[in-house]
Amino acid sequence: MPEQIKYNCLVAPLQGLTTGAWRRVHRAMFPGATYVTPFLRIERGDVRQRDLNDLDPESDVEDTIPQVIANGPDEFSRLVDAALERGFNRVNLNAGCPHPPQISRHRGSALVCDADRLTAIASEMARYGDVTFSLKLRLGIDAADQWRESIEVINSMPIEWVAIHGRTARQMYKGDIDIEAMEQFAQACAHPVIYNGNINSVGRIRAVPADFAGVMAGRGVVTRPSLFHELSTDTKVDEQARVRDFVEMLNRLADVLSQRLQGDSQLLSHLLPYWQLMADTLPPRAVKEILKSRTMAKYNAALARFTTQLSHLGL
Ligand SMILES: Cc1cc2nc3c(=O)[nH]c(=O)nc-3n(C[C@H](O)[C@H](O)[C@H](O)COP(=O)(O)O)c2cc1C
């Protein structure tokens, strides 16, 4: 692993998960990461206000890069301008979203196979002298070598780095990472390349091939909040401590969210997706009761039982 990888640890954007509130709690517990936000979008002709509200000029501006999803220079510049107005001077372009409604509107991973649109966006980037741009993309829409259609444009873009998620859009978020294709991409790419996909332990970070300039982790940081902290301090938290960190984060998150959300169902609709991810990393049914909660009273009772039973879960 190259030494500089320690300084290039990015938290991946996860809609509904790595939100402004989550970032605030994560930063307080494990300072030092750089975050890329879930994408800001144009909806019904306007920059979506909810996305802007999730950017906190005070706490985010130092360590957070807003991400935008755009189908061309017009949408792109409107979203970049909105981020700049909030005080940010770095922007990441999404060329990886796999969802058909975005792809059919020429956004997200559609850009990997659309060198013309990418070229038009690259020209727009060049108009912003003092903004640092970056790119996040997939290997392709339905084949792992489709990035070759746009590599020339990517190499000519005024960007600081590229994060590559080692799947095609068709794979969504599951299935094997194509490391060979990722390495081919890294070798062909003129910019520093960040490795993204299934990074959930320090061991996996250390196993990243030397062609990469850093790592970006999404689900792995949500379910192991200490991930980058363990790397930078050369420490290892055991399974129980991992789960306790997660629970502590969610308790703090519930406090932050309860100040701005109304009612149990809104609060639970924000909290339970974290537990859905966590369920994949725990023994079967360990968090079944939490996931079934329909009121905060039931959620808190289930959570209390879960934490007292941690040592019996075989962790
Ligand atoms: C629920 C969810 C939401 C996501 N939202 C975004 C997003 O807004 N922008 C983006 O570029 N990628 C998004 N992704 C993709 C992740 O950033 C990342 O590329 C993918 O999860 C693989 O990395 P991981 O295995 O470390 O999670 C999302 C993934 C998931 C599972």
Side-chain angles (χ1 to χ4, degrees), residues 12-17 37-39 67 92 94-97 99 136 138 165 167 173 177 196-199 216-220 277:
L14 300 174
Q15 292 279 338
L17 294 163
T37 71
F39 60 77
Q67 185 188 67
N92 180 263
N94 181 316
C97 181
H99 296 290
K136 178 169 182 283
R138 295 221 176 206
H165 177 185
R167 294 188 174 92
Y173 304 108
I177 297 281
N196 173 238
N198 295 4
I199 294 285
M216 175 184 268
R219 293 165 294 185
L277 271 195

Side-chain angles (χ1 to χ4, degrees), residues 35-51:
Y35 305 88
V36 179
T37 71
F39 60 77
L40 278 62
R41 70 186 80 178
I42 302 277
E43 199 176 63
R44 288 182 220 102
D46 275 321
V47 179
R48 194 164 82 156
Q49 193 58 38
R50 180 145 59 98
D51 300 339

Side-chain angles (χ1 to χ4, degrees), residues 18-268:
T18 60
T19 57
W22 182 92
R23 292 193 298 273
R24 189 170 325 152
V25 173
H26 186 260
R27 177 185 296 120
M29 284 178 66
F30 299 105
T34 299
Y35 305 88
V36 179
T37 71
F39 60 77
L40 278 62
R41 70 186 80 178
I42 302 277
E43 199 176 63
R44 288 182 220 102
D46 275 321
V47 179
R48 194 164 82 156
Q49 193 58 38
R50 180 145 59 98
D51 300 339
L52 289 179
N53 293 346
D54 200 48
L55 294 179
D56 182 347
E58 253 170 53
S59 60
D60 275 338
V61 84
E62 292 294 326
D63 60 9
T64 301
I65 306 173
Q67 185 188 67
V68 302
I69 194 163
N71 62 9
D74 179 52
E75 286 192 353
F76 180 74
S77 61
R78 290 172 66 197
L79 291 161
V80 172
D81 290 347
L84 300 191
E85 273 165 30
R86 295 232 143 194
F88 294 84
N89 62 2
R90 295 183 285 180
V91 175
N92 180 263
L93 171 66
N94 181 316
C97 181
H99 296 290
Q102 296 293 352
I103 295 181
S104 65
R105 291 178 177 82
H106 312 287
R107 303 189 186 111
S109 54
L111 293 179
V112 180
C113 303
D114 194 337
D116 289 346
R117 275 175 201 271
L118 214 48
T119 304
I121 294 176
S123 308
E124 194 63 19
M125 283 178 175
R127 289 200 318 112
Y128 292 90
D130 48 1
V131 181
T132 303
F133 291 106
S134 55
L135 182 66
K136 178 169 182 283
L137 83 157
R138 295 221 176 206
L139 292 168
I141 295 180
D142 48 23
D145 61 356
Q146 284 169 329
W147 54 269
R148 290 186 190 280
E149 296 173 29
S150 52
I151 189 68
E152 258 182 59
V153 185
I154 291 171
N155 283 346
S156 72
M157 290 174 95
I159 51 179
E160 191 181 35
W161 50 263
V162 182
I164 180 87
H165 177 185
R167 294 188 174 92
T168 62
R170 183 167 287 174
Q171 284 178 283
M172 300 298 283
Y173 304 108
K174 293 197 175 129
D176 291 341
I177 297 281
D178 191 335
I179 296 182
E180 215 174 292
M182 288 176 85
E183 286 197 87
Q184 284 166 6
F185 175 83
Q187 283 156 17
C189 185
H191 309 285
V193 179
I194 307 287
Y195 183 107
N196 173 238
N198 295 4
I199 294 285
N200 58 8
S201 68
V202 169
R204 288 211 178 162
I205 297 177
R206 292 200 199 283
V208 164
D211 298 313
F212 295 89
V215 291
M216 175 184 268
R219 293 165 294 185
V221 179
V222 169
T223 55
R224 187 179 193 90
S226 59
L227 178 61
F228 293 149
H229 186 74
E230 288 174 70
L231 180 74
S232 61
T233 54
D234 202 15
T235 51
K236 179 162 171 43
V237 306
D238 63 20
E239 269 301 274
Q240 283 212 26
R242 174 182 79 88
V243 179
R244 285 190 195 286
D245 284 341
F246 175 85
V247 170
E248 172 67 17
M249 269 206 73
L250 280 226
N251 285 340
R252 294 192 193 191
L253 195 56
D255 282 347
V256 173
L257 294 174
S258 62
Q259 288 160 26
R260 67 168 91 123
L261 296 178
Q262 300 276 311
D264 285 11
S265 68
Q266 264 206 41
L267 206 47
L268 286 168

